Amino acid sequence: MNKMKTYLIMLCVIALSVQISGQSKSKLTNTFTFKHGVSLNHWTGSQIDSFTYADPKWFDKKDAEWIATTGVDHIQLYVTGTEIITTDEKIIAEKIAAIDSLISWCKSLGLGVVISPGRMPTVVIDNTVSREERVELTLKKLVANIAVFSTYFKNHGQNVRFLLNIGSDDKEIRNRYYQLAIAEIRKTNPDRKLYLTASGIDRLPELSIPKDDLNLIVAAEMAQSTEGKADAIDVFAWQFQDYFFTDKMPQIKFPGVIPKLDESMVTDLGRWALKFSNTKIEKNYFDNKFKKANQWMKQNHPKLEIYIPHFRYWTGYPFDPNSVKDQKSVNNFISSFAEAAKKHKINWCFYDYNSGSGIRYPNGNKAFILEALRLEK
């Protein structure tokens, strides 16, 4: 009798252990969240100064460890496609190894990774072919590269996501690319979370989003800086960027009014800002934008999320905290965004880690911007 009792107890213990083990394993597959991220835009893409591709002087494991202490839950990694894929669509092993390392670092730290591939190898096209044929050939080449890229990462878990974008403001080209890219990626990554980027938060209706793919997320660009895309808020966000504005540009407050701008305050690239002279910037700007976006999503894609892939405030590079005389306005701007995003359950990525609008100063300290984001650690 005692032996039978002992045997039954052992069976219960084993069953309980299996149950707990199964629960732990299930939790491990869902430990990665993608609510608040930071962009790493100049490590494997868009290098600045004398830094080279995957330069450890710009970013290494210690940087990933620092990011993990801030409350950020994922890194969005921009990758120049020509660095990792040859013109004949082969992976360059020694280059893509840096991305593998980043994913490994982040996984050990509980950070997800959103990979954003851009500037893929192109195809030489005869000028005699029609525009429609050129577009189709270009998209075909782009999607072939995306297929190589996505196949390489097919064995990674849900700690890795892809963000798709294209350097065209033509909605037909954008939607055609997404249609082809999704079909190709799904061959090897059937459940991978994919972000489809719209040209702006007000331009979500331009996206043609497949109704049957629930692993898609709608990414809405903000902080635009071109004619037709930019909004009044972007004048505030870019006011210290010397690509767009001269040293005669007066500092703008948030909330506040953009003063009357004239030719002496803008560069040729900044002429888009002139039409926003005397425009009032309200504190509830982000609240209104996100409310409208969510209403559209609820009506058209109620099961999908919205993600802001690039939210930024340009402070100059190399960063000088003393260049921002009115830190209160900057804090108001950033905290207003963060509060509205939380209210409307919109996830986001701040641009970026350590450049002209980074969350970290060159000396290694936290930027004041980070506090305004109000991350929960």
Side-chain angles (χ1 to χ4, degrees), residues 53-68:
Y53 176 90
D55 196 327
K57 296 190 294 295
W58 183 265
F59 190 90
D60 63 13
K61 186 178 181 180
K62 291 181 180 178
D63 293 275
E65 291 170 346
W66 185 91
I67 287 173

Side-chain angles (χ1 to χ4, degrees), residues 125-140 170 172-173 176 180:
I125 303 173
D126 190 333
N127 288 331
T128 61
V129 303
S130 67
R131 177 184 180 275
E132 290 74 16
E133 289 177 296
R134 285 200 304 273
V135 168
E136 200 63 24
L137 287 169
T138 300
L139 290 180
K140 184 179 178 180
D170 185 314
E172 292 184 3
I173 294 176
R176 176 64 174 154
L180 295 171

Side-chain angles (χ1 to χ4, degrees), residues 65-85:
E65 291 170 346
W66 185 91
I67 287 173
T69 68
T70 65
V72 163
D73 62 11
H74 70 279
I75 290 175
Q76 183 189 128
L77 180 69
Y78 176 71
V79 181
T80 299
T82 53
E83 293 279 6
I84 61 170
I85 299 176

